Amino acid sequence: MQIEFVAGPLAATVSPVARIVDQDALPADLEAVVLEAARAARFSGKAGQACDAFVARDGAVVRVALAGGGDAKAKDRTAALERAGAALTARFLTSGEAALTVDFTGTRLAPAEVAAVLLGARLRAWRYDLYRTKLNEEQKPSLKSIRVAGAPEGTEAAWAVEAALAEGVEFTRELVTEPANVLYPASFVERAHKRLDGTGVKIRVLDRDEMAALGMGALLGVAQGSVREPKLLVMEWKGGPAGGKPTAFVGKGVTFDTGGISLKPPAGMEDMKWDMGGAGAVAGVMLALAKRKAKANVVGICGLVENMPDGNAQRPGDVVTTMSGQTVEVINTDAEGRLVLCDAITWTQKEFAPAAIVDLATLTGAMIISLGHEYGGLFANDDDLAAKLLAAGEASGDKLWRQPMGPAYDKLIDSPIADMKNVGPREGGSITAAQFIGRYVDKGMPWAHLDIAGMVWANKPGQTWDKGATGYGVRVLDRFVRDNLEG
Ligand code: BES
Ligand code: MN
Ligand code: ZN
């Protein structure tokens, strides 16, 4: 979706043309036909509502659309404006119209608020039709551009920042959407190169031999059943003070999770192509940060593996030695995410001594049982970091809800044969998974773990996404960087 700014006053005959209106405040200058269409559609300007009508203007037929921005004083006004933009693209995406002009002439919206409308419009328009060869004309997206007219001074600059964010979210969605025969550790790395080379992000990749030399027995144990070579992808963005400690984002990148020898049941197993959603979010936020030249030092690390059953796969009961030196009894080969993350986190601490670590992972089905698809789970050893992430979640729309941790949960993963086992009992499954990762975090290191299992994929359209990959994670991390690491 192109966002174009058009200069000068708008001709009366431009069609289709849209306006954002506040709730219960339909502009008086609209034609009676438009007002009647709004009434007939029960359109009151609530966030996310849209309607349209055809009117005669200067001898031409003009399609006029309205989108609701909700209550002008609402505290979630930004989200409401995103929904207004999203409602417009959802309505016009396959309408046959190639361009939609949004007329902000006379608006009371600030530049950042207009940018929110545009962000919602762009994000909601994203879809991935690469593998559809038989779409008929009416099913194909027709809308190629949003033209912005009459926006207040400063909107283009505000939009440039949000456009970078949109690129990051879209990159994540692409990675999450690609099937596992296309996206596997090596091809994930290739795509990262393709999108990040030239942006100022420095990429490094550790291969199997290098990881073996470092003693990453847990990560490599997961990879052992797959013919796909594992990779540790490292992306560095140094936009902050020279020599300043980076903040590290670490992503679970299981490009397909069959469960391994603890094989998952067939129903729904195809979903496990998006078991790399944490890594996808990390790659996406690195792109966003670089594109908007964030004034912060951030490093993104993705542990990329495929979890397969095989003659060479690891077995339940195997004991692996992690890079930290701690040993793990692998009770269930399907609890593989934590095995990938523990070595990725150990390496991150040794390599970067970061200021803080935030890991993201589609780690447990139990997280979806707890929180559904509304909040990602937040686990943290540091209240300040937790508070900042919760605030970033609220502000960005990638919402988080804090979960408990503690020693009573921790002892549930003690093992009779090794330092720990990789699963606890069924109860509190997301918490024991977090406790497991916590055992690899150095004393004094601020750390948060985001279990985003319920968030990276949607079975129905949402606020600013169609069904499919949501891009969850990019926005909360970007907002966390903006509000806490920059300026
Ligand atoms: N990738 C899954 C978690 C998951 C399940 C994410 C469903 C999204 C949807 C993870 O690797 C896994 O298999 N976890 C197990 C852990 C269990 C064996 C302790 C789970 O949640 O069942
Ligand atoms: Mn699994
Ligand atoms: Zn998994």
Side-chain angles (χ1 to χ4, degrees):
M1 176 66 56
Q2 283 299 115
I3 306 283
E4 298 161 4
F5 287 81
V6 297
L10 199 61
T13 52
V14 168
S15 176
V17 64
R19 278 165 71 169
I20 310 298
V21 305
D22 292 343
Q23 192 167 338
D24 300 321
L26 288 188
D29 64 338
L30 285 172
E31 290 90 341
V33 175
V34 179
L35 295 173
E36 181 56 19
R39 196 199 57 77
R42 310 191 82 173
F43 174 94
S44 62
K46 281 199 186 118
Q49 285 184 335
C51 67
D52 64 311
F54 292 86
V55 297
R57 286 183 182 171
D58 285 0
V61 175
V62 173
R63 188 174 186 180
V64 177
L66 303 177
D71 181 353
K73 291 191 187 65
K75 78 168 183 9
D76 59 349
R77 172 73 157 169
T78 308
L81 290 168
E82 285 179 13
R83 288 181 65 192
L88 287 174
T89 42
R91 198 175 187 86
F92 280 89
L93 194 61
T94 58
S95 63
E97 308 282 5
L100 171 67
T101 302
V102 187
D103 185 8
F104 291 97
T105 306
T107 187
R108 292 199 313 269
L109 297 178
E113 293 177 317
V114 176
V117 173
L118 303 179
L119 180 61
R122 170 148 163 192
L123 290 177
R124 183 61 181 82
W126 187 90
R127 43 187 268 176
Y128 203 63
D129 289 330
L130 188 64
Y131 301 116
R132 295 170 169 274
T133 66
K134 294 187 182 332
L135 282 181
N136 60 39
E137 274 317 302
E138 304 87 83
Q139 294 171 311
K140 282 184 189 158
S142 58
L143 193 69
K144 300 285 183 277
S145 66
I146 300 283
R147 296 198 178 126
V148 186
E153 176 94 35
T155 300
E156 284 191 60
W159 170 244
V161 174
E162 303 309 327
L165 177 59
E167 255 191 81
V169 172
E170 289 166 353
F171 181 36
T172 300
R173 287 178 179 174
E174 174 191 317
L175 293 168
V176 167
T177 305
E178 285 289 9
N181 60 330
V182 173
L183 197 86
Y184 44 89
S187 62
F188 188 118
V189 167
E190 272 173 41
R191 281 188 197 222
H193 270 298
K194 217 169 94 199
R195 297 300 291 272
L196 292 166
D197 287 353
T199 63
V201 172
K202 190 178 117 204
I203 291 187
R204 253 193 298 166
V205 183
L206 305 194
D207 64 16
R208 189 195 298 266
D209 292 345
E210 290 165 288
M211 290 191 275
L214 287 161
M216 295 190 186
L219 186 152
L220 293 175
V222 177
Q224 178 179 310
S226 172
V227 297
R228 309 291 198 188
E229 290 283 316
K231 305 283 176 191
L232 192 78
L233 168 65
V234 188
M235 297 161 283
E236 277 180 89
W237 171 252
K238 292 183 179 168
K245 280 186 179 185
T247 295
F249 298 146
V250 182
K252 168 182 172 180
V254 175
T255 57
F256 197 80
D257 180 14
T258 63
I261 296 299
S262 312
L263 194 63
K264 287 181 182 294
M269 202 203 277
E270 68 280 7
D271 281 350
M272 288 300 106
K273 75 170 183 180
W274 48 259
D275 207 18
M276 37 54 68
V282 169
V285 78
M286 296 312 295
L287 180 62
L289 295 176
K291 287 280 171 158
R292 68 175 184 78
K293 304 213 182 322
K295 291 184 173 52
N297 297 322
V298 178
V299 56
I301 295 96
C302 297
L304 301 169
V305 301
E306 185 180 57
N307 188 22
M308 297 291 273
D310 180 77
N312 192 46
Q314 70 179 341
R315 294 148 291 258
D318 283 5
V319 175
V320 295
T321 302
T322 64
M323 184 182 170
S324 72
Q326 301 179 88
T327 56
V328 180
E329 183 187 11
V330 180
I331 299 293
N332 188 323
T333 65
D334 196 11
E336 84 298 339
R338 62 202 77 180
L339 297 170
V340 173
L341 286 173
C342 69
D343 279 337
I345 286 173
T346 300
W347 184 83
T348 298
Q349 292 172 132
K350 288 227 163 78
E351 185 71 15
F352 295 105
I357 298 177
V358 181
D359 79 70
L360 294 88
T362 49
L363 205 63
T364 64
M367 198 74 262
I368 312 178
I369 303 301
S370 310
L371 295 177
H373 305 286
E374 291 301 316
Y375 292 88
L378 163 67
F379 301 81
N381 66 0
D382 184 286
D383 291 343
D384 180 56
L385 179 60
K388 287 170 173 167
L389 285 163
L390 287 173
E394 278 306 317
S396 68
D398 281 354
K399 288 182 292 177
L400 292 167
W401 198 274
R402 191 163 181 189
Q403 307 286 305
M405 294 189 73
Y409 293 112
D410 200 64
K411 67 173 195 288
L412 298 175
I413 54 170
D414 286 341
S415 156
I417 180 174
D419 295 335
M420 70 199 79
K421 50 187 183 180
N422 75 328
V423 294
R426 243 167 75 82
E427 305 92 314
S430 307
I431 308 174
T432 46
Q435 296 293 154
F436 181 99
I437 301 168
R439 290 191 181 201
Y440 295 84
V441 175
D442 291 344
K443 215 166 169 300
M445 174 67 65
W447 159 72
H449 157 61
L450 314 187
D451 190 336
I452 62 173
M455 305 308 291
V456 311
W457 193 263
N459 290 323
K460 53 182 189 345
Q463 320 234 300
T464 53
W465 55 88
D466 201 346
K467 60 185 187 308
T470 61
Y472 182 93
V474 176
R475 300 192 61 183
V476 60
L477 293 180
D478 175 76
R479 176 52 63 185
F480 173 80
V481 171
R482 283 194 212 188
D483 290 351
N484 301 290
L485 307 181
E486 296 185 79

